[in-house]
Amino acid sequence: MNSKKKFAVVLAGSGVYDGSEIHEATLALYSISKNGGSYQVFAPNINQYHVINHITGEEMPETRNVLVEAARIARGNIKDLKEFSADEFDAILFPGGFGVAKNLCTFAFEGAGCQVNPDAEAALKAMHKAKKPIGALCIAPALIAKVLGDVEVTIGQDEETAEAISKMGATHVTTTHGEIVFDKENKIVTTPCYMLDATIAQIGDGADNVVKTIMAL
C-alpha cells in the first residue's frame, strides 16, 4: 500500500445546507491523515448560490464566498480550485453537502440537466485522464456522474437521485451505511454517508472505507 498518497480534497463551502457537509469533510481529512496520507484542501473562488440559516432552514439575505467559507474547515490552509494541478496529487476527494449540488454544480435545481462549475469539471477530467483515483461522498457522486458519464457510483437508496444519475449516463448501485462502490475501471470510489439517515460514526466508517480503498490503489 502506498501510504504516502497525497489527496486533493475539494470543498463547496461550510455547512450541509449551502456548502460542504462538515462531518463528512472533517472525517475524510481525519481518515487521510490517520491512514498515512496527506492532503491539500481546495474550493472554487465563487459566491455561494445562497446562504441558509442552519437552525431554521430559511434563506438569509447575505452573500458568502465558497472559498472563504470552506477555509473555516481547512483552518485557513486552502487554495483556489483554479490552482489545482493533477500532476501534484495522487487522488481527489469530494465530500458531500448541498453545496456540491448548488455551488459546484446545479444538480439541486436542474437534476440531470445541471451545469458544472468549470474549475470542478477541469479538476475531475484531469484526474480521470491521468487514471488517478476519485473519491466522492453523499451527493458528490452525482457531480462525478455528470462530468464523467459512464461510471459506476452510489448515493445510497434515494430513487429520484439514482434515476437522475442514470439519466446522466452512469450506473447507480444501491448501498447502505459504510458501504462503498468501487468502479475499478475508472478508479472511482463512492459511499452514501448522509444521503442515508446516518450517525456520525457511520459517516466516519464510510469516509474511512473510501480513503482506505483509494490508498490501496
Side-chain angles (χ1 to χ4, degrees), residues 12-19 46-66 69 72 98-99 102-103 109:
S14 178
V16 58
Y17 300 125
D18 56 13
I46 55 173
N47 285 337
Q48 291 182 188
Y49 173 78
H50 59 189
V51 179
I52 298 292
N53 179 321
H54 277 59
I55 299 174
T56 64
E58 293 175 3
E59 194 169 339
M60 298 170 71
E62 59 179 270
T63 301
R64 295 191 188 184
N65 177 282
V66 172
E69 292 301 298
R72 294 172 177 270
F98 280 111
K102 293 176 177 180
N103 303 328
F109 318 110

Side-chain angles (χ1 to χ4, degrees), residues 3 33 36 38 59 73 104-105 110-111 121 123 136 146 162 167 191:
S3 61
S33 180
S38 65
E59 194 169 339
I73 298 173
L104 299 189
C105 67
E110 299 175 287
E121 183 170 4
K146 180 62 181 180
K167 282 183 182 172
T191 194

Side-chain angles (χ1 to χ4, degrees), residues 23 27 194 198-205:
H23 298 166
L27 288 166
Y194 279 122
T199 65
I200 192 167
Q202 288 166 330
I203 300 307
D205 290 343

Side-chain angles (χ1 to χ4, degrees), residues 29-141:
L29 298 177
Y30 171 70
S31 179
I32 292 166
S33 180
K34 183 182 73 166
N35 287 294
S38 65
Y39 59 79
Q40 173 63 55
V41 181
F42 291 87
N45 186 10
I46 55 173
N47 285 337
Q48 291 182 188
Y49 173 78
H50 59 189
V51 179
I52 298 292
N53 179 321
H54 277 59
I55 299 174
T56 64
E58 293 175 3
E59 194 169 339
M60 298 170 71
E62 59 179 270
T63 301
R64 295 191 188 184
N65 177 282
V66 172
L67 181 62
V68 172
E69 292 301 298
R72 294 172 177 270
I73 298 173
R75 295 174 58 85
N77 183 8
I78 194 166
K79 292 183 177 180
D80 187 334
L81 191 53
K82 278 193 196 310
E83 297 177 32
F84 172 81
S85 170
D87 295 340
E88 296 174 9
F89 295 92
D90 302 302
I92 193 167
L93 180 69
F94 290 77
F98 280 111
V100 175
K102 293 176 177 180
N103 303 328
L104 299 189
C105 67
T106 57
F107 184 80
F109 318 110
E110 299 175 287
C114 65
Q115 303 297 307
V116 178
N117 170 269
D119 299 331
E121 183 170 4
L124 268 171
K125 284 184 172 176
M127 290 299 274
H128 187 246
K129 186 179 180 183
K131 295 182 166 49
K132 292 182 176 180
I134 296 165
L137 315 181
C138 193
I139 192 63

